[in-house]
Amino acid sequence: MDKKDYIWLTRNTEIDNVCNCFEDCDTEPVTFKLFRASHLPQIRQIFAGNRVALYRDEQDTCYLTVTDMTVSDFCNIALQHNSDLIYNDADGRIYYDPSDRRKYQHFLRRNTPQTLLQLSPQRKLDILLSISKECYMSLHGKEQHEAALDRQADKLNALLQLPISPEFWENEQRKIRLITADIAKIPHIKEKLENFNMLSLPEQENLLYRVTAITAEYNRIKTPRLMMLTAEEMQQCQLDDWIDADAFALDKTLYICADKLKKQSGIRCLALAWHETNHIAMATGDYSRFPTAEDMLNPHLNYINGVEQSYIFHPQEKINYALEKQFVAECAVRTGVKKLGNTFKPAAEFDVAAQYIARSLQKKR
């Protein structure tokens, strides 16, 4: 396996083996979980000379097992490409240590934000993806890495200034128009939105699930699971302590705080369901027509969400917030709802997103 193929695997898959200890994994065939079902032809090509077995779960997630390659064999390939595999005792899983991570960390330390800003989009993405780290050999190592990211937030933000192609942006806007047109066809939608806080919780959940299903349909993904949580349950979830979320998406499940729905307008609540479903679509859908955008939406960039000063510059967040503003406007026009309530909260995220999209579409890279 050449280095290009190995790096593709580290960026577009996770290792799905679960073991009691690393030695138990040594003799197991290595199994890869694909972020995007559309990547199946690529991984088949990488392992064209091997025997493989394919499995799809109920959420259309693809898993490919290389039956004649053990985890130990794959670990040797990783070492050949200046990478490694890390076994995590806490969950029994195996994680990538990206190729040339230390080289890119050194590059990040010795260059200024101004220099990093001038790099090509692909070079920026190479750095951002190569310093991603999901597992650590020790708590001290984890704390050191996270502290280094916090100190270098201005440099991360420079790298996150990435161009958006007009074709990609128009495609996303087109989906908004189609989604909101279908939402407007839901029986009694205007009445339901204007009296959303008076609906029973099952009625609210049903309406939000309809929005989730419509959004998933136009993004050509399976409809995510929807879980309604109390405020206490939301706090118990493993979110960064500086985030007070109304909703979030994890893997292919959407979580919404039912308690907070009482304080929001009907359209704002629909926007929550759309926003988080669109996050899942960005991370798992088919963006092969837009290769740079697909790399920008890579789930391995989610570590940026843990850097408070860089959170809003995460490509998924910037794109999603800018699209959400259009979603709300289109939804209001099509359903006839006049009172939007406290729709654009938090305003800073929408402002940053709108400015980013406007600047990005003007760039010629």
Side-chain angles (χ1 to χ4, degrees):
M1 181 185 301
D2 64 23
K3 190 169 184 176
K4 181 179 178 182
D5 285 343
Y6 175 77
I7 290 175
W8 186 92
L9 288 171
T10 67
R11 295 181 181 182
N12 295 287
T13 72
E14 293 176 345
I15 299 172
D16 198 57
N17 297 72
V18 180
C19 317
N20 291 323
C21 63
F22 191 79
E23 288 72 21
D24 288 351
C25 287
D26 276 353
T27 56
E28 281 191 4
V30 62
T31 297
F32 299 94
K33 173 184 175 181
L34 278 73
F35 294 143
R36 306 178 191 276
S38 58
H39 283 163
L40 187 57
Q42 177 72 21
I43 196 171
R44 281 190 180 278
Q45 179 61 39
I46 291 173
F47 293 108
N50 298 89
R51 295 192 301 273
V52 300
L54 176 68
Y55 167 72
R56 288 178 186 257
D57 66 16
E58 70 281 1
Q59 287 297 109
D60 203 34
T61 301
C62 292
Y63 301 82
L64 186 134
T65 299
V66 186
T67 58
D68 57 355
M69 178 183 289
T70 66
V71 172
S72 181
D73 294 333
F74 188 62
C75 186
N76 289 332
I77 292 172
L79 294 172
Q80 291 170 17
H81 298 310
N82 200 23
S83 177
D84 201 356
L85 304 183
I86 301 173
Y87 176 75
N88 185 4
D89 292 310
D91 59 9
R93 305 188 73 89
I94 299 169
Y95 294 84
Y96 292 113
D97 191 20
S99 290
D100 303 319
R101 180 173 58 83
R102 289 173 179 80
K103 180 185 79 173
Y104 282 110
Q105 285 178 324
H106 178 66
F107 183 87
L108 187 64
R109 283 195 302 270
R110 66 185 176 86
N111 282 282
T112 66
Q114 292 74 21
T115 300
L116 298 171
L117 187 63
Q118 301 305 314
L119 297 176
S120 70
Q122 192 55 57
R123 181 67 167 163
K124 290 178 179 179
L125 285 164
D126 285 344
I127 297 169
L128 289 166
L129 288 165
S130 295
I131 62 175
S132 169
K133 192 168 174 60
E134 296 178 270
C135 188
Y136 305 84
M137 298 301 291
S138 67
L139 177 60
H140 178 66
K142 180 178 187 294
E143 291 173 344
Q144 278 190 318
H145 182 70
E146 292 176 348
L149 292 178
D150 284 334
R151 290 194 303 271
Q152 299 178 101
D154 56 341
K155 296 183 179 183
L156 288 180
N157 296 344
L159 293 172
L160 289 166
Q161 299 306 306
L162 295 159
I164 300 290
S165 75
E167 295 78 15
F168 165 78
W169 186 244
E170 173 51 35
N171 187 63
E172 296 305 294
Q173 290 182 309
R174 179 184 62 84
K175 286 190 283 190
I176 293 288
R177 294 191 291 269
L178 293 169
I179 290 165
T180 53
D182 274 12
I183 289 172
K185 296 175 186 176
I186 296 174
H188 312 294
I189 185 62
K190 184 174 185 290
E191 179 184 351
K192 289 178 180 179
L193 290 178
E194 291 179 338
N195 299 282
F196 188 83
N197 294 327
M198 299 175 64
L199 300 178
S200 67
L201 183 58
E203 289 175 317
Q204 291 179 342
E205 184 175 356
N206 180 64
L207 183 54
L208 296 181
Y209 184 78
R210 292 283 297 274
V211 172
T212 295
I214 292 169
T215 304
E217 177 186 356
Y218 283 107
N219 282 283
R220 299 182 181 180
I221 62 169
K222 288 287 185 73
T223 302
R225 303 179 186 90
L226 174 61
M227 299 287 292
M228 305 291 284
L229 305 181
T230 65
E232 183 178 354
E233 288 171 331
M234 289 286 283
Q235 289 176 353
Q236 293 172 353
C237 294
Q238 294 182 351
L239 294 173
D240 293 282
D241 56 13
W242 54 270
I243 296 177
D244 182 19
D246 294 348
F248 69 94
L250 184 62
D251 200 7
K252 294 185 177 181
T253 302
L254 191 163
Y255 300 87
I256 293 181
C257 182
D259 293 339
K260 291 191 177 183
L261 296 183
K262 302 170 186 176
K263 303 176 182 179
Q264 304 288 357
S265 68
I267 282 189
R268 169 63 181 162
C269 293
L270 294 198
L272 280 178
W274 171 86
H275 184 109
E276 299 305 332
T277 305
N278 211 49
H279 269 311
I280 295 171
M282 287 177 173
T284 65
D286 184 357
Y287 287 89
S288 55
R289 289 171 53 202
F290 315 104
T292 300
E294 186 174 82
D295 283 344
M296 289 167 57
L297 302 175
N298 192 303
H300 279 311
L301 291 182
N302 286 347
Y303 72 92
I304 295 165
N305 288 337
V307 184
E308 185 171 357
Q309 296 179 62
S310 297
Y311 164 77
I312 185 51
F313 294 103
H314 189 304
Q316 272 202 34
E317 297 298 342
K318 289 185 290 191
I319 292 168
N320 229 18
Y321 275 119
L323 288 171
E324 184 177 340
K325 197 164 188 176
Q326 179 181 341
F327 172 88
V328 170
E330 293 270 353
C331 215
V333 170
R334 294 179 186 276
T335 61
V337 172
K338 303 296 183 183
K339 295 181 179 179
L340 305 185
N342 187 16
T343 305
F344 300 121
K345 176 192 175 186
E349 277 82 346
F350 284 101
D351 290 342
V352 170
Q355 292 167 15
Y356 166 73
I357 296 299
R359 288 197 307 269
S360 182
L361 291 173
Q362 293 172 358
K363 290 182 179 179
K364 302 289 185 181
R365 299 300 296 258

